[in-house]
Amino acid sequence: MADVAKLAGVSISTVSYALSGARPISEATRGRVQWAVEQLDYQPNIMARGLAGRRTGFLTLLLPTDETPADSFMIDIIVAAAEAARERGYHLLLWTEPTGESAGVKDLMRRGLIDGALLLSVRLHDDRVSALRGAGVPLTMIGRTQDTDGSHFVDSDAEQAAEVAIAHLAELGHTTVAYVGPPRSAYDDGIGIVIRIHDSLVRSAERHGLRLIPAFAERKVAASARAISELMAAEPEISAVLTLDDSAIAGVLDGLRSIDHSVPSDVSIIGLLVSPEVAEMAWPKATTVSHDPRDLGRLGVLAMIDSLDGVSDRATQFLLPSELVERSTTAPRQAASR
Amino acid sequence: MADVAKLAGVSISTVSYALSGARPISEATRGRVQWAVEQLDYQPNIMARGLAGRRTGFLTLLLPTDETPADSFMIDIIVAAAEAARERGYHLLLWTEPTGESAGVKDLMRRGLIDGALLLSVRLHDDRVSALRGAGVPLTMIGRTQDTDGSHFVDSDAEQAAEVAIAHLAELGHTTVAYVGPPRSAYDDGIGIVIRIHDSLVRSAERHGLRLIPAFAERKVAASARAISELMAAEPEISAVLTLDDSAIAGVLDGLRSIDHSVPSDVSIIGLLVSPEVAEMAWPKATTVSHDPRDLGRLGVLAMIDSLDGVSDRATQFLLPSELVERSTTAPRQAASR
DNA sequence: TTGTAGGCGTTATCAT
DNA sequence: ATGATAACGCCTACAA
């Protein structure tokens, strides 16, 4: 930077201001500085900037890692977040920490490394949120807590997604619907999206006069396969199944095959909030009610940066609506015949 | 740090040395420093350390992003890399950049941000490697170039994987085997693993006296489905299929179903280098010849750090062997009967 | 074994 | 509108 100043014939601080635009600089000198910068192919040192300034340009994404390995949906979020950060001149740190813990992130903040943190797999009552808030870490959630007053978040609109899915099944004439959801532990942990989807499904089903039979299955193919076959044995009138996880959909297909129910002629399936890749990989290709997971990552980062910049006086809160994408696992209900 | 020094009754530099262990410190003072550190819950500032020292503690993972969205296999690599970095006290930056480009990473280096870079999707002749080398960026490849002299890498042992897969099919009595590989563009780009797997399969097939019929398919379910059905039409004696990508295996299953070939009784399938998650999601569950993708990420980071620390005088080069995991897509060849 | 002091490359606070 | 200069918090010769 000193070199640039010399070459441009100005002081070091002028160069700094010309580059940051933090104070008015005459056109003439700004031009000379620009020229010198290009001449020397100068790139400001990030560490020095972070040390001296009050912004480091780093964001971190807190990735819960004790859970199931990240599925496609989450991956899409992460990669999109990285891209968005890069586009806005920020750097995205991938920080793995067991669910519910945030000591590491707090340290990152105290060590002057990050400007803020993005949270994944947010619980309705999330200790991390209060801990990080208390530590003065700006944060935005991908997902959301129960009480969202004044907090920044981007989340899937569970209520709307549930309604779309249930309404579609109702239209198709289904009256008894199973829901193969995440394991009980996810409910016990109070994972926001899990609880909201469940509750919303219950409400929507009621509104449409459908009977909804929930089940819980570990996030493994075999577990959801077992869940659905047990469910079908107990409640043979089930003619449609809703699922939440990437693995659940494959498992349900598996389970139905094992008991000789064909999809979609005997049983319809709708996958909630699944990535398009996984939906396409299933056989038959799965009908879904979902949105682009990438939006969660992208908007999350943008919301974070906006809040850092203080562009808005109130918190940015996005609720992403889902769309029904009909593939090959849904059909009108058949007249009972078996 | 000044506070710690005061509390411990020593100089600032003593604290620094006590913490870094860069020079001998008496037990007594080291103890006092330790105590003061804990007392104040002191955490060294990362930016300052990066500015003053010659190490920043940052690594970056170069993620090609113009290609197909990252599949499970790659994700596992990434997450494992993040975990390994964290365990070793490093920070992992996710850097998205179009395949083949490295200007961004070079800048990261010049801006004093990173200690080194990890490369994914390495080509046999990769411009990034020479560019980064030229710019003095320490790098280790996850994958490898053709010429590996003096470079650090962790890669799947394609030769061995191909041999295991072919040998198994040979044992099962198959004599004509299709290979639904990646799209031609991947070959044209010279992606290392793609070429190596292909060439190794050819050699192994020859060695075992099998006929190998390769095909190229875009990384989409529909594309590989079409590829295999065309292949079967042209060469009806095919009784086994090898695949490379996560999506290919679903596609091949799809395609075979569409032409009424059942798996594995009519046709066997082996997926090469696929993540266990995807193998389990397929139906039937796919037999694979693979290794834990996480090893690639973990070992890659460790190799990088070792090279940074200069622990070894020669380059660390790992070739990971694969294992056959029999699931439900392989069976002995049936006597021709259709 | 320990202390002193200069420097890392910016930003921010004073002046001018 | 611009300059000089003190932080920023740590590392590392150099001295003692």
Side-chain angles (χ1 to χ4, degrees):
Chain A
M1 185 153 174
D3 300 338
V4 175
K6 209 163 293 173
L7 217 189
V10 296
S11 81
I12 280 190
S13 58
T14 301
V15 173
S16 173
Y17 286 118
L19 289 169
S20 68
R23 88 179 180 191
I25 297 281
S26 77
E27 265 316 312
T29 57
R30 147 166 295 132
R32 297 230 308 295
V33 169
Q34 271 302 348
W35 171 82
V37 163
E38 282 162 25
Q39 210 64 18
L40 299 170
D41 193 16
Y42 160 80
Q43 302 263 146
N45 180 296
I46 297 184
M47 293 290 162
R49 177 173 284 180
L51 220 208
R54 36 185 50 97
R55 286 279 268 283
T56 65
F58 283 87
L59 302 178
T60 191
L61 188 69
L62 219 140
L63 183 64
T65 168
D66 52 342
E67 299 186 350
T68 326
D71 58 13
S72 273
F73 199 84
M74 193 163 283
I75 295 322
D76 285 354
I77 295 176
I78 296 171
V79 173
E83 284 180 337
R86 172 162 159 43
E87 275 165 22
R88 300 286 292 249
Y90 276 76
H91 305 289
L92 215 233
L93 230 52
L94 211 52
W95 193 250
T96 57
E97 199 157 22
T99 328
E101 295 197 21
S102 58
V105 177
K106 225 152 56 180
D107 287 346
L108 289 184
M109 190 72 196
R110 293 194 2 186
R111 300 181 63 164
L113 176 47
I114 56 170
D115 292 333
L118 289 157
L119 257 56
L120 242 37
S121 299
V122 180
R123 305 173 180 195
L124 288 180
H125 303 281
D126 202 309
D127 293 342
R128 298 177 299 175
V129 173
S130 38
L132 292 177
R133 276 236 189 87
V137 184
L139 57 94
T140 108
M141 306 179 273
I142 295 180
R144 67 193 202 272
T145 45
Q146 179 129 56
D147 175 20
T148 59
D149 276 6
S151 44
H152 307 268
F153 70 79
V154 182
D155 199 1
S156 307
D157 189 340
E159 189 82 30
Q160 180 265 0
E163 174 59 23
V164 169
I166 293 283
H168 186 58
L169 291 180
E171 260 173 47
L172 292 174
H174 298 281
T175 55
T176 306
V177 177
Y179 170 50
V180 177
R184 277 226 161 66
S185 62
Y187 290 83
D188 296 342
D189 287 348
I191 305 292
I193 190 66
V194 168
I195 310 260
R196 286 204 176 83
I197 284 284
H198 177 273
D199 294 354
S200 303
L201 285 174
V202 169
R203 276 198 295 277
S204 281
E206 207 163 309
R207 200 176 309 135
H208 286 271
L210 300 193
R211 196 152 83 87
L212 185 77
I213 305 171
F216 313 92
E218 296 299 319
R219 294 176 212 267
K220 288 183 180 169
V221 173
S224 14
R226 195 170 341 106
I228 189 60
S229 53
E230 287 174 6
L231 230 40
M232 294 299 298
E235 308 274 359
E237 63 276 31
I238 289 171
S239 66
V241 187
L242 292 163
T243 66
L244 184 56
D245 274 319
D246 276 4
S247 59
I249 184 151
V252 166
L253 282 164
D254 240 26
L256 290 173
R257 257 186 301 258
S258 74
I259 53 176
D260 286 325
H261 285 60
S262 63
V263 175
S265 57
D266 296 336
V267 179
S268 288
I269 304 179
I270 294 182
L272 294 167
L273 301 179
V274 320
S275 66
E277 296 96 40
V278 167
E280 294 280 336
M281 264 193 222
W283 186 81
K285 301 194 195 318
T287 294
T288 57
V289 170
S290 186
H291 59 79
D292 190 342
R294 302 176 51 81
D295 289 340
L296 241 24
R298 200 171 49 79
L299 293 174
V301 165
L302 297 186
M304 172 94 260
I305 294 177
D306 280 352
S307 90
L308 255 25
D309 290 342
V311 294
S312 166
D313 44 345
R314 68 181 199 294
T316 32
Q317 311 196 139
F318 287 128
L319 233 36
L320 303 184
S322 290
E323 274 183 7
L324 171 72
V325 177
E326 295 195 63
R327 295 197 180 83
S328 315
T329 56
T330 37
R333 177 181 173 225
Q334 305 293 91
S337 63
R338 54 173 62 239
Chain B
M1 185 150 176
D3 300 337
V4 175
K6 209 164 293 172
L7 218 190
V10 296
S11 80
I12 277 191
S13 63
T14 303
V15 175
S16 173
Y17 285 121
L19 262 52
S20 68
R23 86 179 180 190
I25 298 282
S26 77
E27 265 315 312
T29 57
R30 147 167 294 133
R32 298 230 308 295
V33 169
Q34 272 300 349
W35 171 82
V37 162
E38 282 162 24
Q39 209 65 15
L40 299 170
D41 192 16
Y42 162 80
Q43 302 263 151
N45 180 297
I46 297 184
M47 294 289 161
R49 179 172 284 179
L51 220 208
R54 37 184 51 95
R55 286 280 267 282
T56 65
F58 283 86
L59 303 178
T60 191
L61 188 71
L62 199 71
L63 182 65
T65 169
D66 52 343
E67 299 186 350
T68 325
D71 58 15
S72 273
F73 199 85
M74 194 163 283
I75 295 320
D76 286 353
I77 295 175
I78 296 172
V79 173
E83 283 180 338
R86 172 164 161 38
E87 275 165 21
R88 299 286 292 248
Y90 276 77
H91 305 289
L92 214 233
L93 228 53
L94 212 52
W95 193 250
T96 57
E97 199 157 25
T99 330
E101 295 198 19
S102 58
V105 176
K106 224 153 57 179
D107 287 346
L108 289 184
M109 190 71 195
R110 292 194 2 183
R111 300 180 64 165
L113 176 47
I114 56 168
D115 292 335
L118 289 158
L119 257 56
L120 243 37
S121 300
V122 180
R123 306 172 179 194
L124 288 179
H125 303 282
D126 202 309
D127 293 341
R128 298 177 299 175
V129 173
S130 37
L132 292 177
R133 277 237 187 86
V137 184
L139 56 95
T140 109
M141 306 178 273
I142 296 181
R144 67 195 203 271
T145 44
Q146 179 128 53
D147 174 21
T148 59
D149 276 6
S151 43
H152 307 268
F153 69 79
V154 182
D155 199 1
S156 306
D157 189 341
E159 190 82 30
Q160 180 263 1
E163 174 60 23
V164 169
I166 292 283
H168 186 58
L169 291 180
E171 260 173 47
L172 292 174
H174 297 281
T175 54
T176 307
V177 177
Y179 170 51
V180 177
R184 278 226 160 67
S185 62
Y187 291 83
D188 296 341
D189 287 348
I191 305 291
I193 189 67
V194 168
I195 310 260
R196 286 203 177 84
I197 284 284
H198 177 273
D199 293 353
S200 303
L201 285 174
V202 169
R203 276 197 296 274
S204 281
E206 207 162 310
R207 200 176 311 137
H208 287 271
L210 299 193
R211 196 153 83 87
L212 184 77
I213 305 172
F216 314 92
E218 296 298 319
R219 293 176 214 268
K220 289 185 181 169
V221 173
S224 14
R226 195 171 341 107
I228 189 61
S229 52
E230 287 173 8
L231 230 40
M232 294 300 298
E235 308 274 359
E237 63 275 31
I238 289 172
S239 66
V241 186
L242 292 163
T243 66
L244 184 56
D245 275 316
D246 277 3
S247 60
I249 184 152
V252 166
L253 282 164
D254 241 27
L256 290 173
R257 257 187 300 260
S258 73
I259 53 176
D260 288 322
H261 285 61
S262 62
V263 176
S265 57
D266 296 337
V267 179
S268 288
I269 304 180
I270 293 182
L272 294 166
L273 301 180
V274 319
S275 66
E277 295 96 38
V278 167
E280 294 280 336
M281 265 194 224
W283 186 81
K285 301 194 194 319
T287 293
T288 58
V289 170
S290 186
H291 59 79
D292 189 342
R294 303 176 51 82
D295 289 341
L296 241 24
R298 200 170 50 77
L299 293 175
V301 165
L302 297 185
M304 172 94 259
I305 295 177
D306 280 353
S307 90
L308 254 25
D309 290 342
V311 295
S312 166
D313 45 343
R314 69 182 196 293
T316 31
Q317 311 194 141
F318 286 128
L319 232 36
L320 303 184
S322 291
E323 273 183 7
L324 171 72
V325 177
E326 296 195 63
R327 295 197 180 82
S328 314
T329 56
T330 36
R333 176 181 176 226
Q334 305 293 92
S337 64
R338 51 173 63 242

